[in-house]
Amino acid sequence: MCLEDSMSGAEDDRSSHAQLSSQVFLDLVDSVIADVASECHRIARLGLDRDLEVVEEELRLSVEARAKVADPSNNLETNSKYVVDIFGQTHPPVASEVFNCMNCGRQIVAGRFAPHLEKCMGKGRKARAKATRSTTAAQNRNSRRSPNQRYSPHPNLGSENQLASEDCSNGTVRENGKGE
Amino acid sequence: MKHSVNRPTTPDEDVADAYEKDELTLRESINTKMVESGEKENLMELVRDRLVECGWKDEMRIACREHVKKKGRKDVTVDELIRVITPKGRASVPDSVKEELLNRIQNFIVSAAP
């Protein structure tokens, strides 16, 4: 072997090296191929890509929907006052149900409840310092109104509360009236 | 894996029949040296990175998925997938990646087996 090597010279040596390295390289590539194959096999057998398909479908649909909304030729409906929702039902821009405000007890249209609460509770960006007074007054009035005193934090102070609310209930009404 | 994978023969395999034995022992010793020195692991990482970077891996995944669709997800085997994607996988390694890897391997061989 030694004799052969020395006779064949450096050129043969280099070519055998090249051959060897391409062998090693192919082995590397083959093992990466095996990795990919077993990874894909696992995903397929466990059905892990089914989620992926669903996600992809949803993504596609949402892109389509967005394009549809953005399409100016398609906004015949969106321009009109009542927009149809996904069930084909129309809704007014301001919800029209009426219910009682749990803070002051007034009747409020649902669509205007948020601005009302801003003033009523004195916490919104439009709320003024005075509003806090009206809030306490409203609370006191509520506690007086409720037939059951169990929920009041200080049932013994009932008479005091009444006095306090009597004091500023006039102011409260005026203020709320101005705000609406 | 229980049994060995049937692969298409590599082009180099039948070239040097006479040297096969020498070649094998040389290959084995180089392989051992590569594993022992940690170069094998480095090379493996390098080839993986490069093949992900150039999109080769995505291509292979797509090929796998196509085959799975064709055969049905319950009837597909790993060996089958390897057999199907190996020719494409070997052929579609970019030349730049091949060159970089071959250079590194050759350098290692030269330094390890003077």
Side-chain angles (χ1 to χ4, degrees):
Chain A
M1 188 182 157
C2 260
L3 218 136
E4 255 179 46
D5 266 2
S6 57
M7 268 162 61
S8 57
E11 226 162 81
D12 247 24
D13 219 37
R14 212 176 302 150
S15 82
S16 89
H17 279 174
Q19 227 178 68
L20 194 56
S21 38
S22 70
Q23 265 298 334
V24 173
F25 175 69
L26 264 180
D27 283 350
L28 287 174
V29 172
D30 280 352
S31 57
V32 178
I33 288 171
D35 281 358
V36 175
S38 62
E39 188 184 308
C40 286
H41 177 257
R42 179 174 174 275
I43 287 170
R45 286 298 279 265
L46 296 180
L48 296 177
D49 56 345
R50 221 169 298 174
D51 275 359
L52 215 98
E53 278 165 23
V54 171
V55 170
E56 272 171 9
E57 177 77 3
E58 272 174 3
L59 259 174
R60 198 179 55 76
L61 284 176
S62 79
V63 167
E64 261 176 30
R66 222 171 293 145
K68 209 174 174 184
V69 168
D71 192 2
S73 67
N74 218 342
N75 62 357
L76 290 169
E77 292 173 343
T78 37
N79 267 349
S80 69
K81 213 170 179 184
Y82 295 104
V83 184
V84 182
D85 72 3
I86 58 165
F87 302 111
Q89 294 167 327
T90 60
H91 296 282
V94 175
S96 55
E97 282 107 303
V98 175
F99 67 98
N100 292 333
C101 171
M102 52 285 267
N103 193 42
C104 68
R106 289 155 164 270
Q107 285 207 324
I108 302 291
V109 176
R112 295 268 172 248
F113 183 56
H116 162 78
L117 211 57
E118 234 176 45
K119 283 174 287 181
C120 185
M121 293 185 73
K123 279 200 173 146
R125 97 192 113 84
K126 285 186 208 154
R128 280 157 295 180
K130 276 187 204 161
T132 46
R133 213 180 50 161
S134 76
T135 309
T136 48
Q139 275 167 356
N140 289 338
R141 195 174 49 188
N142 267 355
S143 66
R144 187 186 55 179
R145 248 192 218 157
S146 74
N148 199 337
Q149 288 279 325
R150 254 185 315 180
Y151 297 110
S152 171
H154 304 292
N156 293 337
L157 301 176
S159 53
E160 275 176 45
N161 278 351
Q162 263 180 24
L163 280 174
S165 65
E166 225 98 86
D167 260 349
C168 46
S169 59
N170 278 341
T172 309
V173 169
R174 227 189 305 132
E175 206 145 283
N176 278 351
K178 225 192 319 180
E180 302 276 295
Chain B
M1 232 180 287
K2 265 180 278 177
H3 39 264
S4 68
V5 176
N6 284 328
R7 293 181 187 283
T9 54
T10 37
D12 308 41
E13 249 162 33
D14 43 10
V15 171
D17 242 26
Y19 291 106
E20 206 174 352
K21 215 156 175 128
D22 277 359
E23 195 91 335
L24 258 177
T25 50
L26 188 57
R27 225 175 117 184
E28 272 167 17
S29 76
I30 287 291
N31 194 41
T32 315
K33 276 175 191 161
M34 271 191 164
V35 173
E36 281 170 356
S37 65
E39 178 71 358
K40 181 115 185 181
E41 211 168 307
N42 292 341
L43 285 171
M44 204 62 210
E45 207 167 303
L46 183 68
V47 83
R48 245 185 227 132
D49 285 353
R50 291 286 178 272
L51 290 178
V52 169
E53 279 165 17
C54 67
W56 178 93
K57 195 169 178 183
D58 285 337
E59 270 174 47
M60 290 300 104
R61 279 211 195 106
I62 290 167
C64 281
R65 215 181 279 183
E66 271 167 13
H67 185 74
V68 168
K69 262 185 200 156
K70 213 163 64 190
K71 290 286 289 189
R73 69 172 64 238
K74 289 291 163 214
D75 298 324
V76 90
T77 64
V78 183
D79 288 359
E80 203 177 277
L81 275 181
I82 292 176
R83 218 178 312 127
V84 166
I85 67 169
T86 294
K88 196 190 169 194
R90 282 179 181 173
S92 62
V93 176
D95 285 345
S96 59
V97 176
K98 201 168 182 172
E99 203 177 319
E100 186 186 357
L101 264 295
L102 282 180
N103 269 335
R104 261 189 78 161
I105 296 166
Q106 212 148 350
N107 284 343
F108 180 85
I109 292 173
V110 168
S111 67

